[in-house]
Amino acid sequence: ITLLGAILRVTLITQPALWNDETLTYRRIAGTYQNLLDLLQYDSFPPLHYEFYWVLSRFFYMTPTLMRIGPMIAGILMTPAMYFLARQIVSRSAANMTALFVACSAYMLVYSRDAKMYGEFWLFVALTMGCFIWWLRSGRRIAWLAWIASGLAMVGFDFVGNVLLGLLPLVLLTSSRLTWKKGLLASIGLLVILAGPAGFYLKFSGLIDRTAAPNEDLNEATNTAW
């Protein structure tokens, strides 16, 4: 199923042509690293997607194929990631159906060839939730560490990942295997994950100060007037 999804994502990867948001991604990575930081500080986008592309552009000429390499890889990995997440809560056959649905989804295929952060972000959303449930079920240290690593990547690709973090305490409290130790470790993990966006928005982006300005609303402060 993963191979099928990979073939669908690699085939005709340069079609359709790059659109406006993808060219804006290229604009952000075309200059120096300081140029990138200056743009991100105003746009308020988390840095991981653009830092990955900036490093890539230092070694390769950014063709349309390379502009879409990140979401393409994430789109391929999304199939086994969704199988992994589904397997935590449903049967093997249902997890296989989930993987097949993801592999063939037109929605997922479109975002597997869009040089924005959404493909990578959704991959780590699935891994964050999957690893969290895996840890609740198994109590294994590797599962806890994998959850924290996935969560850090998730919020590093898109700040919307903080919404998912708000759901995790509900998952924890409704778990049949809840203990005080798991509650403590979950709290520590959430604090570690939230430290990234907290530092970014409180100390780097200036978003809070711009939002508080008398002549700017949230759309203008985040440069998302659309």
PDB file of all heavy atoms in Angstrom, residues 106-140:
ATOM      1  N   ALA A 106      -7.283  11.806  -3.047  1.00  0.00           N
ATOM      2  CA  ALA A 106      -6.970  12.937  -3.925  1.00  0.00           C
ATOM      3  C   ALA A 106      -6.527  14.148  -3.107  1.00  0.00           C
ATOM      4  O   ALA A 106      -5.629  14.894  -3.509  1.00  0.00           O
ATOM      5  CB  ALA A 106      -8.187  13.294  -4.776  1.00  0.00           C
ATOM      6  N   TYR A 107      -7.153  14.344  -1.959  1.00  0.00           N
ATOM      7  CA  TYR A 107      -6.790  15.453  -1.066  1.00  0.00           C
ATOM      8  C   TYR A 107      -5.324  15.341  -0.645  1.00  0.00           C
ATOM      9  O   TYR A 107      -4.560  16.310  -0.730  1.00  0.00           O
ATOM     10  CB  TYR A 107      -7.704  15.432   0.152  1.00  0.00           C
ATOM     11  CG  TYR A 107      -7.569  16.626   1.059  1.00  0.00           C
ATOM     12  CD1 TYR A 107      -8.332  17.772   0.856  1.00  0.00           C
ATOM     13  CD2 TYR A 107      -6.681  16.608   2.139  1.00  0.00           C
ATOM     14  CE1 TYR A 107      -8.216  18.872   1.701  1.00  0.00           C
ATOM     15  CE2 TYR A 107      -6.561  17.699   2.981  1.00  0.00           C
ATOM     16  CZ  TYR A 107      -7.334  18.829   2.760  1.00  0.00           C
ATOM     17  OH  TYR A 107      -7.208  19.908   3.596  1.00  0.00           O
ATOM     18  N   MET A 108      -4.920  14.140  -0.200  1.00  0.00           N
ATOM     19  CA  MET A 108      -3.552  13.944   0.234  1.00  0.00           C
ATOM     20  C   MET A 108      -2.571  14.024  -0.933  1.00  0.00           C
ATOM     21  O   MET A 108      -1.434  14.489  -0.774  1.00  0.00           O
ATOM     22  CB  MET A 108      -3.412  12.595   0.943  1.00  0.00           C
ATOM     23  CG  MET A 108      -4.219  12.478   2.237  1.00  0.00           C
ATOM     24  SD  MET A 108      -3.848  13.778   3.433  1.00  0.00           S
ATOM     25  CE  MET A 108      -2.116  13.498   3.744  1.00  0.00           C
ATOM     26  N   LEU A 109      -3.009  13.585  -2.113  1.00  0.00           N
ATOM     27  CA  LEU A 109      -2.143  13.662  -3.283  1.00  0.00           C
ATOM     28  C   LEU A 109      -1.861  15.116  -3.661  1.00  0.00           C
ATOM     29  O   LEU A 109      -0.737  15.473  -4.028  1.00  0.00           O
ATOM     30  CB  LEU A 109      -2.778  12.923  -4.463  1.00  0.00           C
ATOM     31  CG  LEU A 109      -2.707  11.404  -4.406  1.00  0.00           C
ATOM     32  CD1 LEU A 109      -3.583  10.787  -5.500  1.00  0.00           C
ATOM     33  CD2 LEU A 109      -1.275  10.930  -4.565  1.00  0.00           C
ATOM     34  N   VAL A 110      -2.884  15.967  -3.589  1.00  0.00           N
ATOM     35  CA  VAL A 110      -2.698  17.381  -3.914  1.00  0.00           C
ATOM     36  C   VAL A 110      -1.671  18.013  -2.979  1.00  0.00           C
ATOM     37  O   VAL A 110      -0.754  18.722  -3.410  1.00  0.00           O
ATOM     38  CB  VAL A 110      -4.038  18.138  -3.832  1.00  0.00           C
ATOM     39  CG1 VAL A 110      -3.802  19.648  -3.833  1.00  0.00           C
ATOM     40  CG2 VAL A 110      -4.934  17.751  -4.998  1.00  0.00           C
ATOM     41  N   TYR A 111      -1.789  17.730  -1.685  1.00  0.00           N
ATOM     42  CA  TYR A 111      -0.884  18.344  -0.721  1.00  0.00           C
ATOM     43  C   TYR A 111       0.466  17.637  -0.641  1.00  0.00           C
ATOM     44  O   TYR A 111       1.357  18.093   0.081  1.00  0.00           O
ATOM     45  CB  TYR A 111      -1.549  18.420   0.651  1.00  0.00           C
ATOM     46  CG  TYR A 111      -2.492  19.599   0.733  1.00  0.00           C
ATOM     47  CD1 TYR A 111      -3.858  19.441   0.523  1.00  0.00           C
ATOM     48  CD2 TYR A 111      -2.002  20.883   0.984  1.00  0.00           C
ATOM     49  CE1 TYR A 111      -4.716  20.524   0.570  1.00  0.00           C
ATOM     50  CE2 TYR A 111      -2.839  21.968   1.040  1.00  0.00           C
ATOM     51  CZ  TYR A 111      -4.205  21.785   0.831  1.00  0.00           C
ATOM     52  OH  TYR A 111      -5.057  22.873   0.873  1.00  0.00           O
ATOM     53  N   SER A 112       0.625  16.540  -1.382  1.00  0.00           N
ATOM     54  CA  SER A 112       1.932  15.894  -1.492  1.00  0.00           C
ATOM     55  C   SER A 112       2.764  16.516  -2.602  1.00  0.00           C
ATOM     56  O   SER A 112       3.909  16.130  -2.815  1.00  0.00           O
ATOM     57  CB  SER A 112       1.759  14.389  -1.757  1.00  0.00           C
ATOM     58  OG  SER A 112       1.180  13.756  -0.649  1.00  0.00           O
ATOM     59  N   ARG A 113       2.185  17.480  -3.312  1.00  0.00           N
ATOM     60  CA  ARG A 113       2.931  18.208  -4.342  1.00  0.00           C
ATOM     61  C   ARG A 113       2.662  19.700  -4.204  1.00  0.00           C
ATOM     62  O   ARG A 113       2.433  20.418  -5.183  1.00  0.00           O
ATOM     63  CB  ARG A 113       2.567  17.685  -5.737  1.00  0.00           C
ATOM     64  CG  ARG A 113       1.084  17.737  -6.084  1.00  0.00           C
ATOM     65  CD  ARG A 113       0.812  17.008  -7.394  1.00  0.00           C
ATOM     66  NE  ARG A 113       0.998  15.575  -7.225  1.00  0.00           N
ATOM     67  CZ  ARG A 113       1.450  14.765  -8.187  1.00  0.00           C
ATOM     68  NH1 ARG A 113       1.766  15.244  -9.361  1.00  0.00           N
ATOM     69  NH2 ARG A 113       1.577  13.478  -7.954  1.00  0.00           N
ATOM     70  N   ASP A 114       2.704  20.175  -2.977  1.00  0.00           N
ATOM     71  CA  ASP A 114       2.496  21.579  -2.654  1.00  0.00           C
ATOM     72  C   ASP A 114       3.618  21.986  -1.704  1.00  0.00           C
ATOM     73  O   ASP A 114       3.686  21.502  -0.578  1.00  0.00           O
ATOM     74  CB  ASP A 114       1.123  21.762  -1.995  1.00  0.00           C
ATOM     75  CG  ASP A 114       0.817  23.217  -1.675  1.00  0.00           C
ATOM     76  OD1 ASP A 114       1.627  24.093  -2.042  1.00  0.00           O
ATOM     77  OD2 ASP A 114      -0.237  23.476  -1.054  1.00  0.00           O
ATOM     78  N   ALA A 115       4.501  22.868  -2.164  1.00  0.00           N
ATOM     79  CA  ALA A 115       5.717  23.199  -1.424  1.00  0.00           C
ATOM     80  C   ALA A 115       5.446  24.103  -0.233  1.00  0.00           C
ATOM     81  O   ALA A 115       6.115  25.122  -0.020  1.00  0.00           O
ATOM     82  CB  ALA A 115       6.737  23.844  -2.356  1.00  0.00           C
ATOM     83  N   LYS A 116       4.461  23.746   0.549  1.00  0.00           N
ATOM     84  CA  LYS A 116       4.177  24.407   1.823  1.00  0.00           C
ATOM     85  C   LYS A 116       4.399  23.398   2.942  1.00  0.00           C
ATOM     86  O   LYS A 116       4.780  22.264   2.700  1.00  0.00           O
ATOM     87  CB  LYS A 116       2.744  24.945   1.830  1.00  0.00           C
ATOM     88  CG  LYS A 116       2.530  26.103   0.864  1.00  0.00           C
ATOM     89  CD  LYS A 116       3.136  27.394   1.403  1.00  0.00           C
ATOM     90  CE  LYS A 116       2.308  27.950   2.560  1.00  0.00           C
ATOM     91  NZ  LYS A 116       2.869  29.211   3.090  1.00  0.00           N
ATOM     92  N   MET A 117       4.104  23.821   4.170  1.00  0.00           N
ATOM     93  CA  MET A 117       4.428  22.969   5.310  1.00  0.00           C
ATOM     94  C   MET A 117       3.356  21.941   5.644  1.00  0.00           C
ATOM     95  O   MET A 117       3.550  21.102   6.518  1.00  0.00           O
ATOM     96  CB  MET A 117       4.668  23.842   6.550  1.00  0.00           C
ATOM     97  CG  MET A 117       3.415  24.391   7.219  1.00  0.00           C
ATOM     98  SD  MET A 117       2.570  25.681   6.284  1.00  0.00           S
ATOM     99  CE  MET A 117       3.721  27.026   6.453  1.00  0.00           C
ATOM    100  N   TYR A 118       2.232  21.946   4.939  1.00  0.00           N
ATOM    101  CA  TYR A 118       1.090  21.152   5.369  1.00  0.00           C
ATOM    102  C   TYR A 118       1.354  19.642   5.329  1.00  0.00           C
ATOM    103  O   TYR A 118       0.938  18.915   6.230  1.00  0.00           O
ATOM    104  CB  TYR A 118      -0.138  21.496   4.529  1.00  0.00           C
ATOM    105  CG  TYR A 118      -0.445  22.971   4.532  1.00  0.00           C
ATOM    106  CD1 TYR A 118      -0.393  23.717   3.355  1.00  0.00           C
ATOM    107  CD2 TYR A 118      -0.743  23.633   5.722  1.00  0.00           C
ATOM    108  CE1 TYR A 118      -0.649  25.071   3.360  1.00  0.00           C
ATOM    109  CE2 TYR A 118      -0.989  24.990   5.735  1.00  0.00           C
ATOM    110  CZ  TYR A 118      -0.948  25.714   4.548  1.00  0.00           C
ATOM    111  OH  TYR A 118      -1.183  27.059   4.561  1.00  0.00           O
ATOM    112  N   GLY A 119       2.026  19.170   4.300  1.00  0.00           N
ATOM    113  CA  GLY A 119       2.307  17.739   4.209  1.00  0.00           C
ATOM    114  C   GLY A 119       3.143  17.246   5.378  1.00  0.00           C
ATOM    115  O   GLY A 119       2.821  16.240   6.018  1.00  0.00           O
ATOM    116  N   GLU A 120       4.221  17.952   5.675  1.00  0.00           N
ATOM    117  CA  GLU A 120       5.073  17.574   6.800  1.00  0.00           C
ATOM    118  C   GLU A 120       4.318  17.714   8.127  1.00  0.00           C
ATOM    119  O   GLU A 120       4.434  16.872   9.019  1.00  0.00           O
ATOM    120  CB  GLU A 120       6.333  18.445   6.833  1.00  0.00           C
ATOM    121  CG  GLU A 120       7.234  18.307   5.608  1.00  0.00           C
ATOM    122  CD  GLU A 120       7.087  19.475   4.664  1.00  0.00           C
ATOM    123  OE1 GLU A 120       5.925  19.832   4.349  1.00  0.00           O
ATOM    124  OE2 GLU A 120       8.120  20.036   4.232  1.00  0.00           O
ATOM    125  N   PHE A 121       3.538  18.783   8.231  1.00  0.00           N
ATOM    126  CA  PHE A 121       2.784  19.015   9.457  1.00  0.00           C
ATOM    127  C   PHE A 121       1.811  17.876   9.738  1.00  0.00           C
ATOM    128  O   PHE A 121       1.769  17.333  10.857  1.00  0.00           O
ATOM    129  CB  PHE A 121       2.034  20.350   9.336  1.00  0.00           C
ATOM    130  CG  PHE A 121       1.014  20.583  10.407  1.00  0.00           C
ATOM    131  CD1 PHE A 121       1.399  20.724  11.727  1.00  0.00           C
ATOM    132  CD2 PHE A 121      -0.338  20.669  10.099  1.00  0.00           C
ATOM    133  CE1 PHE A 121       0.458  20.947  12.730  1.00  0.00           C
ATOM    134  CE2 PHE A 121      -1.277  20.889  11.086  1.00  0.00           C
ATOM    135  CZ  PHE A 121      -0.882  21.028  12.404  1.00  0.00           C
ATOM    136  N   TRP A 122       1.023  17.484   8.755  1.00  0.00           N
ATOM    137  CA  TRP A 122       0.038  16.415   8.964  1.00  0.00           C
ATOM    138  C   TRP A 122       0.711  15.087   9.288  1.00  0.00           C
ATOM    139  O   TRP A 122       0.180  14.285  10.053  1.00  0.00           O
ATOM    140  CB  TRP A 122      -0.868  16.279   7.750  1.00  0.00           C
ATOM    141  CG  TRP A 122      -1.782  17.460   7.584  1.00  0.00           C
ATOM    142  CD1 TRP A 122      -2.270  18.266   8.576  1.00  0.00           C
ATOM    143  CD2 TRP A 122      -2.287  17.980   6.362  1.00  0.00           C
ATOM    144  NE1 TRP A 122      -3.053  19.251   8.041  1.00  0.00           N
ATOM    145  CE2 TRP A 122      -3.084  19.113   6.694  1.00  0.00           C
ATOM    146  CE3 TRP A 122      -2.143  17.616   5.025  1.00  0.00           C
ATOM    147  CZ2 TRP A 122      -3.749  19.863   5.723  1.00  0.00           C
ATOM    148  CZ3 TRP A 122      -2.806  18.358   4.056  1.00  0.00           C
ATOM    149  CH2 TRP A 122      -3.593  19.468   4.399  1.00  0.00           C
ATOM    150  N   LEU A 123       1.885  14.844   8.681  1.00  0.00           N
ATOM    151  CA  LEU A 123       2.627  13.631   9.014  1.00  0.00           C
ATOM    152  C   LEU A 123       2.926  13.588  10.506  1.00  0.00           C
ATOM    153  O   LEU A 123       2.696  12.561  11.171  1.00  0.00           O
ATOM    154  CB  LEU A 123       3.930  13.572   8.210  1.00  0.00           C
ATOM    155  CG  LEU A 123       4.926  12.483   8.619  1.00  0.00           C
ATOM    156  CD1 LEU A 123       4.351  11.097   8.366  1.00  0.00           C
ATOM    157  CD2 LEU A 123       6.250  12.664   7.871  1.00  0.00           C
ATOM    158  N   PHE A 124       3.410  14.689  11.054  1.00  0.00           N
ATOM    159  CA  PHE A 124       3.771  14.694  12.471  1.00  0.00           C
ATOM    160  C   PHE A 124       2.556  14.811  13.383  1.00  0.00           C
ATOM    161  O   PHE A 124       2.625  14.433  14.554  1.00  0.00           O
ATOM    162  CB  PHE A 124       4.797  15.785  12.746  1.00  0.00           C
ATOM    163  CG  PHE A 124       6.168  15.421  12.258  1.00  0.00           C
ATOM    164  CD1 PHE A 124       6.685  15.963  11.089  1.00  0.00           C
ATOM    165  CD2 PHE A 124       6.933  14.493  12.949  1.00  0.00           C
ATOM    166  CE1 PHE A 124       7.941  15.598  10.627  1.00  0.00           C
ATOM    167  CE2 PHE A 124       8.190  14.127  12.502  1.00  0.00           C
ATOM    168  CZ  PHE A 124       8.695  14.670  11.335  1.00  0.00           C
ATOM    169  N   VAL A 125       1.445  15.314  12.872  1.00  0.00           N
ATOM    170  CA  VAL A 125       0.197  15.242  13.633  1.00  0.00           C
ATOM    171  C   VAL A 125      -0.176  13.777  13.865  1.00  0.00           C
ATOM    172  O   VAL A 125      -0.498  13.362  14.985  1.00  0.00           O
ATOM    173  CB  VAL A 125      -0.943  15.973  12.894  1.00  0.00           C
ATOM    174  CG1 VAL A 125      -2.303  15.606  13.501  1.00  0.00           C
ATOM    175  CG2 VAL A 125      -0.745  17.481  12.973  1.00  0.00           C
ATOM    176  N   ALA A 126      -0.140  12.983  12.787  1.00  0.00           N
ATOM    177  CA  ALA A 126      -0.466  11.557  12.902  1.00  0.00           C
ATOM    178  C   ALA A 126       0.507  10.840  13.834  1.00  0.00           C
ATOM    179  O   ALA A 126       0.102  10.025  14.669  1.00  0.00           O
ATOM    180  CB  ALA A 126      -0.456  10.907  11.516  1.00  0.00           C
ATOM    181  N   LEU A 127       1.794  11.147  13.696  1.00  0.00           N
ATOM    182  CA  LEU A 127       2.794  10.492  14.540  1.00  0.00           C
ATOM    183  C   LEU A 127       2.675  10.920  16.004  1.00  0.00           C
ATOM    184  O   LEU A 127       2.871  10.106  16.913  1.00  0.00           O
ATOM    185  CB  LEU A 127       4.197  10.797  14.014  1.00  0.00           C
ATOM    186  CG  LEU A 127       4.575  10.128  12.695  1.00  0.00           C
ATOM    187  CD1 LEU A 127       5.945  10.612  12.221  1.00  0.00           C
ATOM    188  CD2 LEU A 127       4.567   8.609  12.822  1.00  0.00           C
ATOM    189  N   THR A 128       2.358  12.183  16.232  1.00  0.00           N
ATOM    190  CA  THR A 128       2.208  12.661  17.610  1.00  0.00           C
ATOM    191  C   THR A 128       1.072  11.932  18.317  1.00  0.00           C
ATOM    192  O   THR A 128       1.232  11.426  19.435  1.00  0.00           O
ATOM    193  CB  THR A 128       1.951  14.179  17.627  1.00  0.00           C
ATOM    194  OG1 THR A 128       3.081  14.852  17.067  1.00  0.00           O
ATOM    195  CG2 THR A 128       1.727  14.678  19.048  1.00  0.00           C
ATOM    196  N   MET A 129      -0.081  11.862  17.673  1.00  0.00           N
ATOM    197  CA  MET A 129      -1.210  11.179  18.286  1.00  0.00           C
ATOM    198  C   MET A 129      -0.945   9.681  18.392  1.00  0.00           C
ATOM    199  O   MET A 129      -1.249   9.051  19.419  1.00  0.00           O
ATOM    200  CB  MET A 129      -2.481  11.430  17.483  1.00  0.00           C
ATOM    201  CG  MET A 129      -3.732  10.813  18.102  1.00  0.00           C
ATOM    202  SD  MET A 129      -4.090  11.437  19.770  1.00  0.00           S
ATOM    203  CE  MET A 129      -4.908  12.990  19.376  1.00  0.00           C
ATOM    204  N   GLY A 130      -0.370   9.090  17.351  1.00  0.00           N
ATOM    205  CA  GLY A 130      -0.078   7.659  17.373  1.00  0.00           C
ATOM    206  C   GLY A 130       0.894   7.290  18.470  1.00  0.00           C
ATOM    207  O   GLY A 130       0.692   6.314  19.199  1.00  0.00           O
ATOM    208  N   CYS A 131       1.971   8.072  18.607  1.00  0.00           N
ATOM    209  CA  CYS A 131       2.974   7.782  19.641  1.00  0.00           C
ATOM    210  C   CYS A 131       2.419   8.021  21.038  1.00  0.00           C
ATOM    211  O   CYS A 131       2.776   7.302  21.982  1.00  0.00           O
ATOM    212  CB  CYS A 131       4.220   8.636  19.415  1.00  0.00           C
ATOM    213  SG  CYS A 131       5.184   8.174  17.960  1.00  0.00           S
ATOM    214  N   PHE A 132       1.537   9.010  21.176  1.00  0.00           N
ATOM    215  CA  PHE A 132       0.943   9.285  22.486  1.00  0.00           C
ATOM    216  C   PHE A 132       0.079   8.107  22.942  1.00  0.00           C
ATOM    217  O   PHE A 132       0.183   7.649  24.087  1.00  0.00           O
ATOM    218  CB  PHE A 132       0.116  10.563  22.429  1.00  0.00           C
ATOM    219  CG  PHE A 132      -0.403  11.021  23.766  1.00  0.00           C
ATOM    220  CD1 PHE A 132       0.455  11.579  24.699  1.00  0.00           C
ATOM    221  CD2 PHE A 132      -1.738  10.885  24.100  1.00  0.00           C
ATOM    222  CE1 PHE A 132       0.000  12.003  25.944  1.00  0.00           C
ATOM    223  CE2 PHE A 132      -2.218  11.299  25.340  1.00  0.00           C
ATOM    224  CZ  PHE A 132      -1.344  11.861  26.266  1.00  0.00           C
ATOM    225  N   ILE A 133      -0.756   7.601  22.038  1.00  0.00           N
ATOM    226  CA  ILE A 133      -1.601   6.458  22.393  1.00  0.00           C
ATOM    227  C   ILE A 133      -0.746   5.211  22.608  1.00  0.00           C
ATOM    228  O   ILE A 133      -1.012   4.406  23.506  1.00  0.00           O
ATOM    229  CB  ILE A 133      -2.668   6.225  21.304  1.00  0.00           C
ATOM    230  CG1 ILE A 133      -3.553   7.461  21.155  1.00  0.00           C
ATOM    231  CG2 ILE A 133      -3.535   5.013  21.637  1.00  0.00           C
ATOM    232  CD1 ILE A 133      -4.556   7.365  20.023  1.00  0.00           C
ATOM    233  N   TRP A 134       0.289   5.043  21.783  1.00  0.00           N
ATOM    234  CA  TRP A 134       1.219   3.918  21.953  1.00  0.00           C
ATOM    235  C   TRP A 134       1.846   3.962  23.346  1.00  0.00           C
ATOM    236  O   TRP A 134       1.944   2.937  24.032  1.00  0.00           O
ATOM    237  CB  TRP A 134       2.279   3.979  20.860  1.00  0.00           C
ATOM    238  CG  TRP A 134       3.377   2.971  20.961  1.00  0.00           C
ATOM    239  CD1 TRP A 134       3.290   1.696  21.447  1.00  0.00           C
ATOM    240  CD2 TRP A 134       4.749   3.158  20.582  1.00  0.00           C
ATOM    241  NE1 TRP A 134       4.522   1.065  21.375  1.00  0.00           N
ATOM    242  CE2 TRP A 134       5.418   1.938  20.854  1.00  0.00           C
ATOM    243  CE3 TRP A 134       5.453   4.210  20.021  1.00  0.00           C
ATOM    244  CZ2 TRP A 134       6.778   1.782  20.597  1.00  0.00           C
ATOM    245  CZ3 TRP A 134       6.801   4.055  19.748  1.00  0.00           C
ATOM    246  CH2 TRP A 134       7.453   2.844  20.039  1.00  0.00           C
ATOM    247  N   TRP A 135       2.262   5.165  23.776  1.00  0.00           N
ATOM    248  CA  TRP A 135       2.861   5.298  25.096  1.00  0.00           C
ATOM    249  C   TRP A 135       1.839   4.994  26.197  1.00  0.00           C
ATOM    250  O   TRP A 135       2.155   4.308  27.166  1.00  0.00           O
ATOM    251  CB  TRP A 135       3.420   6.710  25.266  1.00  0.00           C
ATOM    252  CG  TRP A 135       3.808   6.995  26.673  1.00  0.00           C
ATOM    253  CD1 TRP A 135       4.785   6.368  27.411  1.00  0.00           C
ATOM    254  CD2 TRP A 135       3.213   7.953  27.545  1.00  0.00           C
ATOM    255  NE1 TRP A 135       4.829   6.890  28.677  1.00  0.00           N
ATOM    256  CE2 TRP A 135       3.886   7.863  28.791  1.00  0.00           C
ATOM    257  CE3 TRP A 135       2.200   8.892  27.384  1.00  0.00           C
ATOM    258  CZ2 TRP A 135       3.550   8.673  29.865  1.00  0.00           C
ATOM    259  CZ3 TRP A 135       1.876   9.713  28.451  1.00  0.00           C
ATOM    260  CH2 TRP A 135       2.528   9.589  29.677  1.00  0.00           C
ATOM    261  N   LEU A 136       0.606   5.489  26.042  1.00  0.00           N
ATOM    262  CA  LEU A 136      -0.417   5.206  27.049  1.00  0.00           C
ATOM    263  C   LEU A 136      -0.680   3.713  27.172  1.00  0.00           C
ATOM    264  O   LEU A 136      -0.912   3.197  28.268  1.00  0.00           O
ATOM    265  CB  LEU A 136      -1.718   5.932  26.694  1.00  0.00           C
ATOM    266  CG  LEU A 136      -1.740   7.455  26.876  1.00  0.00           C
ATOM    267  CD1 LEU A 136      -3.097   8.009  26.473  1.00  0.00           C
ATOM    268  CD2 LEU A 136      -1.415   7.841  28.319  1.00  0.00           C
ATOM    269  N   ARG A 137      -0.640   3.015  26.052  1.00  0.00           N
ATOM    270  CA  ARG A 137      -0.921   1.579  26.062  1.00  0.00           C
ATOM    271  C   ARG A 137       0.253   0.770  26.583  1.00  0.00           C
ATOM    272  O   ARG A 137       0.068  -0.213  27.311  1.00  0.00           O
ATOM    273  CB  ARG A 137      -1.277   1.101  24.652  1.00  0.00           C
ATOM    274  CG  ARG A 137      -2.584   1.653  24.095  1.00  0.00           C
ATOM    275  CD  ARG A 137      -2.831   1.159  22.697  1.00  0.00           C
ATOM    276  NE  ARG A 137      -2.905  -0.300  22.662  1.00  0.00           N
ATOM    277  CZ  ARG A 137      -2.692  -1.033  21.571  1.00  0.00           C
ATOM    278  NH1 ARG A 137      -2.365  -0.454  20.443  1.00  0.00           N
ATOM    279  NH2 ARG A 137      -2.800  -2.337  21.626  1.00  0.00           N
ATOM    280  N   SER A 138       1.468   1.168  26.197  1.00  0.00           N
ATOM    281  CA  SER A 138       2.641   0.331  26.496  1.00  0.00           C
ATOM    282  C   SER A 138       3.444   0.811  27.700  1.00  0.00           C
ATOM    283  O   SER A 138       4.103   0.008  28.369  1.00  0.00           O
ATOM    284  CB  SER A 138       3.555   0.268  25.274  1.00  0.00           C
ATOM    285  OG  SER A 138       4.147   1.539  25.019  1.00  0.00           O
ATOM    286  N   GLY A 139       3.449   2.125  27.926  1.00  0.00           N
ATOM    287  CA  GLY A 139       4.272   2.684  28.990  1.00  0.00           C
ATOM    288  C   GLY A 139       5.759   2.672  28.681  1.00  0.00           C
ATOM    289  O   GLY A 139       6.576   2.936  29.564  1.00  0.00           O
ATOM    290  N   ARG A 140       6.128   2.406  27.428  1.00  0.00           N
ATOM    291  CA  ARG A 140       7.540   2.290  27.072  1.00  0.00           C
ATOM    292  C   ARG A 140       8.200   3.661  26.946  1.00  0.00           C
ATOM    293  O   ARG A 140       7.595   4.619  26.461  1.00  0.00           O
ATOM    294  CB  ARG A 140       7.693   1.514  25.762  1.00  0.00           C
ATOM    295  CG  ARG A 140       7.190   0.081  25.845  1.00  0.00           C
ATOM    296  CD  ARG A 140       7.300  -0.621  24.504  1.00  0.00           C
ATOM    297  NE  ARG A 140       8.690  -0.717  24.058  1.00  0.00           N
ATOM    298  CZ  ARG A 140       9.062  -1.213  22.879  1.00  0.00           C
ATOM    299  NH1 ARG A 140       8.130  -1.670  22.041  1.00  0.00           N
ATOM    300  NH2 ARG A 140      10.326  -1.277  22.544  1.00  0.00           N
TER     301      ARG A 140
END
